[in-house]
Amino acid sequence: MSAVDLEKLRMSGAGKAIAVLTSGGDAQGMNAAVRAVTRMGIYVGAKVFHINEGYEGLVEGGDCIQQASWLSVSNIIQLGGTIIGSARCKAFTTHEGRLSAAFNLVQHGITNLCVIGGDGSLTGANIFRKEWGGLLEELVKEEKITEDVAAKYSHLNIVGLVGSIDNDFCGTDMTIGTDSALHRIMEVIDAITTTAQSHQRTFVLEVMGRHCGYLALVSALASGADWLFIPECPPEDGWEDIMCTRLGESRSRGSRLNIIIIAEGAIDQNGEPITSNYVKELVVKRLGFDTRVTVLGHVQRGGTPSAFDRVLSSKMGMEAVIALMEATPRTPACVVSLSGNQSVRLPLMECVQVTKDVQKAMEEKKFEEAIQLRGRSFENNWNIYKLLAHQKPSEEKSNFSIAILNVGAPAAGMNAAVRSAVRIGISEGHKIYTVHDGFEGLAKGQINEVGWHDVAGWLGRGGSMLGTKRTIPKSCMQNIVENIRKYNIHALLVVGGFEAYEGVLQLVEAREQYEELCIIMCVIPATISNNVPGTDFSIGCDTAVNAAMESNVEHLTEKMKTDIQRGLVLRNEKCHDYYTTDFLYNLYSAEGKGVFDCRTNVLGHLQQGGAPTPFDRNYGTKLGVKAVLWISEKLRESYRRGKNVWKLNKSVG
């Protein structure tokens, strides 16, 4: 939203009142959403109220409904859970409970309600909205309010934000709390991996997801799990034999660990539960492997929200207030959803109905339909997991060779992209080369053919397993061309930032001079700076932002708990030639005059290091698959009857 649009909204809420509540299970990021609704509401000139303890507080009224200020939501964006509380409320499911809730809202002049919760909480809000007029009529008859008051507050506007770590609400790519829950899961998997490798163990990891397998699916995709159980797609009959065979084959190839991920709601084809203990006993009995079970439980709800959840919740909270300000008596209740990288509004009950349709399809054993109803992102994740988890013989060899290299500064998630590119390329029947040390390695002949299992274990590794340098082709063009000819390379896949873009452009510009460069070239953006064109996100930037969020968090939190007001100044390293970090430190230190102190913290290369976040692992994996499938398509188009059409026509691809 532009500054002009924001300015138009200022004071558009004068005379109005907004209330926000959190309901159902808590989810990391709820506090960020409460903060955004509160501050955006104040920005537009409305009174903002917090309803403590969810619908229970709405029914109870009194001190449970309190007016919020700008400062009342300071220093909460990084906190897990919900500071205004959440509770299950049977009273609100009754007519009498909703009558009390209506009275309490009218007492405060509130006709705009933002509900943060799951589909049950949002459905309850919509019922409340539909009954609102009748509830006010009852209150008039009972002489609890006057007819003038009923006329003044005749309509209730509702907007929902989905807070659910399961990501089980249809209509949004991601719900508040899901990314943070994936962080907790991946932290456990990364820790388990080290001990499993040490002792050659098999771990069965049970994650939340009674009715939705999203957490299990994405954590399996981000960890390279050997086997996965989700409720939307029960394994085929005889799965026990197939799973044990694959686990045994993995060990025979030298693997020292196996990871099996199971959603708590996993079932077989007959609808019977598949438990983590059953899977463990099966592996022990059939294979004799040392096998342990880890059930994560509510640890997935805990901890601080990820950077993604903080930003997502803030954007959604802001959009919720705008939706309430623009609502009319004819506007249906809406839910703020995420589509791509944008906050959008969708009809609330349509999304709730599709969510219910998923459960119905599963109950009727229409599992393919259930996966499709979950949405394009879920279906895409499922298909990619199946492609990459187990090697399937390609139908035929393609006679094409693809070289993969990393260029520029390292970025967490590069290895995930290379792994998926290698494996999907092999599945397509191509010969896959990896190049060490970027374009410099391509010039020096540091080129190796790789197989499926050569990239095992790469997903959780930070940095670049291939090595990466900033060297660009113009300094070694002749040698690059010679090696492309020597290894008969038909396509280049370059993973990197600005240097990758610049390097590929130099190769394209040299096609007139070297026909060997008339090959398919593709770049996957990977840079923590997120400063390359053509993409909203580049691989590595999510990990870098999370590194910044985690830096010195405990110290800052303790400081902020005091009554002394403190500030945080963030500075980009290249923002100004003169207003340097040292200058700002000296300025604040001098002007503080003992009233406040000042500290500096330069993160530097900390942002490039460490294990990639679930987002970067998943994103890198998807981009690697997408890139090689695109390359494969272009190779088939370009090489007709064994001849390179580009070389024949001297055209630029």
Side-chain angles (χ1 to χ4, degrees):
M1 179 171 286
S2 68
V4 174
D5 293 332
L6 277 173
E7 191 59 36
K8 288 179 181 178
L9 285 169
R10 187 183 290 274
M11 302 313 294
S12 63
K16 298 180 180 180
I18 300 171
V20 58
L21 64 85
T22 53
S23 177
D26 64 304
Q28 306 97 319
M30 279 184 165
N31 284 326
V34 170
R35 172 181 179 272
V37 171
T38 302
R39 291 193 167 180
M40 189 63 186
I42 292 171
Y43 176 85
V44 300
K47 289 183 179 179
V48 180
F49 293 86
H50 290 170
I51 300 176
N52 296 308
E53 309 308 331
Y55 284 122
E56 186 177 296
L58 189 58
V59 173
E60 291 291 327
D63 291 339
C64 289
I65 302 176
Q66 297 182 341
Q67 186 170 351
S69 67
W70 189 275
L71 290 178
S72 64
V73 290
S74 293
N75 194 36
I76 70 168
I77 194 171
Q78 81 282 7
L79 300 180
T82 164
I83 64 162
I84 59 176
S86 178
R88 311 284 180 184
C89 182
K90 289 185 178 180
F92 190 74
T93 64
T94 67
H95 182 78
E96 293 74 16
R98 292 192 291 276
L99 187 65
S100 296
F103 176 72
N104 291 328
L105 287 184
V106 169
Q107 289 291 95
H108 291 87
I110 299 168
T111 56
N112 298 282
L113 182 61
C114 176
V115 177
I116 307 169
D119 61 332
S121 301
L122 302 186
T123 300
N126 191 61
I127 293 171
F128 188 40
R129 170 185 166 276
K130 286 183 176 179
E131 293 180 351
W132 182 258
L135 294 172
L136 294 194
E137 289 179 7
E138 284 188 53
L139 291 172
V140 171
K141 288 179 182 178
E142 294 176 4
E143 297 184 351
K144 291 186 176 180
I145 63 173
T146 66
E147 290 186 357
D148 289 341
V149 170
K152 184 177 181 180
Y153 304 116
S154 60
H155 182 72
L156 177 67
N157 298 316
I158 294 287
V159 64
L161 303 182
V162 189
S164 167
I165 68 168
D166 292 333
N167 203 32
D168 55 356
F169 190 84
C170 295
T172 184
D173 290 345
M174 194 77 88
T175 56
I176 293 170
T178 302
D179 188 68
S180 299
L182 287 170
H183 274 250
R184 301 295 91 77
I185 295 169
M186 294 312 303
E187 286 165 7
V188 171
I189 291 177
D190 287 348
I192 281 174
T193 298
T194 56
T195 185
Q197 285 178 329
S198 299
H199 298 279
Q200 296 193 62
R201 283 178 177 151
T202 295
F203 268 90
V204 181
L205 186 75
E206 183 180 309
V207 302
M208 282 186 169
R210 237 181 331 222
H211 305 294
C212 177
Y214 185 88
L215 289 178
L217 173 56
V218 176
S219 56
L221 189 61
S223 65
D226 297 280
W227 198 269
L228 167 67
F229 296 93
I230 58 173
E232 290 86 350
C233 191
E236 60 189 71
D237 291 337
W239 62 268
E240 292 94 337
D241 295 332
I242 300 171
M243 183 187 77
C244 290
T245 299
R246 289 189 186 172
L247 296 181
E249 289 174 351
S250 173
R251 287 294 178 93
S252 66
R253 289 190 299 266
S255 175
R256 294 180 59 85
L257 80 157
N258 299 113
I259 301 291
I260 300 169
I261 295 180
I262 180 169
E264 61 178 325
I267 54 175
D268 63 18
Q269 289 284 342
N270 299 314
E272 295 299 317
I274 298 175
T275 67
S276 51
N277 282 325
Y278 174 74
V279 174
K280 172 197 170 181
E281 291 167 6
L282 177 69
V283 174
V284 172
K285 182 179 179 181
R286 297 275 190 93
L287 299 171
F289 293 170
D290 183 3
T291 305
R292 306 297 171 90
V293 171
T294 298
V295 180
L296 290 186
H298 284 78
V299 71
Q300 294 159 92
R301 295 190 187 277
T304 61
S306 65
F308 183 94
D309 270 328
R310 300 184 200 192
V311 174
L312 172 68
S313 303
S314 298
K315 291 168 68 173
M316 284 185 166
M318 178 178 172
E319 185 65 27
V321 172
I322 297 172
L324 289 171
M325 293 301 98
E326 294 177 352
T328 68
R330 294 184 178 180
T331 304
C334 75
V335 60
V336 178
S337 300
L338 179 71
S339 178
N341 193 32
Q342 302 298 320
S343 296
V344 297
R345 304 175 207 169
L346 296 175
L348 171 59
M349 293 316 296
E350 286 185 18
C351 295
V352 170
Q353 185 57 53
V354 176
T355 304
K356 291 180 178 179
D357 289 344
V358 175
Q359 190 60 36
K360 182 181 177 183
M362 291 165 61
E363 290 170 356
E364 295 174 353
K365 299 183 180 179
K366 298 177 181 177
F367 297 114
E368 288 187 10
E369 181 181 335
I371 287 178
Q372 291 172 356
L373 287 170
R374 280 282 180 224
R376 186 175 58 185
S377 176
F378 189 98
E379 186 176 10
N380 189 34
N381 284 333
W382 175 241
N383 289 333
I384 291 176
Y385 174 76
K386 289 189 294 182
L387 279 172
L388 301 179
H390 178 70
Q391 184 176 6
K392 304 164 191 68
S394 57
E395 294 181 1
E396 59 180 26
K397 295 296 181 182
S398 69
N399 296 320
F400 294 130
S401 300
I402 302 175
I404 304 171
L405 59 153
N406 294 337
V407 174
M414 276 182 163
N415 295 322
V418 173
R419 170 187 175 270
S420 65
V422 167
R423 291 193 166 181
I424 200 68
I426 291 171
S427 296
E428 290 283 298
H430 307 319
K431 180 183 287 187
I432 304 297
Y433 294 111
T434 53
V435 182
H436 289 264
D437 295 337
F439 288 120
E440 184 176 315
L442 185 58
K444 293 180 177 179
Q446 297 172 208
I447 303 168
N448 299 299
E449 184 177 357
V450 290
W452 184 277
H453 303 290
D454 292 326
V455 291
W458 283 30
L459 264 169
R461 302 289 292 271
S464 167
M465 297 292 288
L466 295 180
T468 179
K469 291 190 176 181
R470 297 181 184 272
T471 306
I472 51 179
K474 66 179 181 181
S475 62
C476 49
M477 186 69 74
Q478 185 64 46
N479 291 335
I480 287 176
V481 170
E482 289 175 1
N483 281 319
I484 287 176
R485 184 192 309 118
K486 176 181 177 181
Y487 288 91
N488 193 26
I489 294 170
H490 301 90
L492 281 180
L493 176 57
V494 184
V495 184
F498 184 75
E499 290 89 352
Y501 279 60
E502 186 179 12
V504 169
L505 182 59
Q506 288 180 8
L507 294 178
V508 170
E509 290 172 344
R511 280 175 173 166
E512 287 298 320
Q513 186 177 355
Y514 304 103
E515 70 170 14
E516 290 85 355
L517 297 178
C518 292
I519 59 176
I520 310 296
M521 300 182 201
C522 181
V523 176
I524 293 179
T527 166
I528 68 168
S529 301
N530 201 31
N531 62 344
V532 291
T535 182
D536 289 339
F537 295 108
S538 58
I539 294 171
C541 63
D542 185 71
T543 303
V545 172
N546 276 282
M549 294 300 98
E550 293 166 6
S551 175
N552 222 11
V553 168
E554 293 82 5
H555 170 76
L556 287 174
T557 300
E558 290 304 314
K559 288 284 188 180
M560 295 293 185
K561 284 180 181 177
T562 67
D563 294 332
I564 303 171
Q565 295 298 313
R566 298 178 186 271
L568 180 66
V569 178
L570 298 178
R571 178 185 178 276
N572 174 272
E573 60 179 337
K574 298 290 185 182
C575 68
H576 200 279
D577 290 338
Y578 302 116
Y579 296 148
T580 64
T581 301
D582 287 340
F583 171 82
L584 292 173
Y585 168 75
N586 291 330
L587 175 67
Y588 282 111
S589 296
E591 295 301 318
K593 298 177 180 177
V595 177
F596 59 84
D597 61 359
C598 186
R599 298 286 187 273
T600 62
N601 191 348
V602 180
L603 299 184
H605 287 83
L606 170 70
Q607 298 161 92
Q608 288 181 339
T613 60
F615 181 94
D616 276 326
R617 298 184 200 199
N618 194 12
Y619 190 48
T621 297
K622 288 180 176 179
L623 289 186
V625 170
K626 186 81 171 177
V628 174
L629 290 179
W630 179 84
I631 288 172
S632 298
E633 180 186 346
K634 294 303 176 184
L635 284 171
R636 286 189 288 268
E637 290 177 2
S638 304
Y639 286 80
R640 298 171 192 161
R641 298 178 183 176
K643 297 179 180 179
N644 186 340
V645 177
W646 281 5
K647 290 183 181 179
L648 291 174
N649 297 331
K650 284 290 187 179
S651 60
V652 175

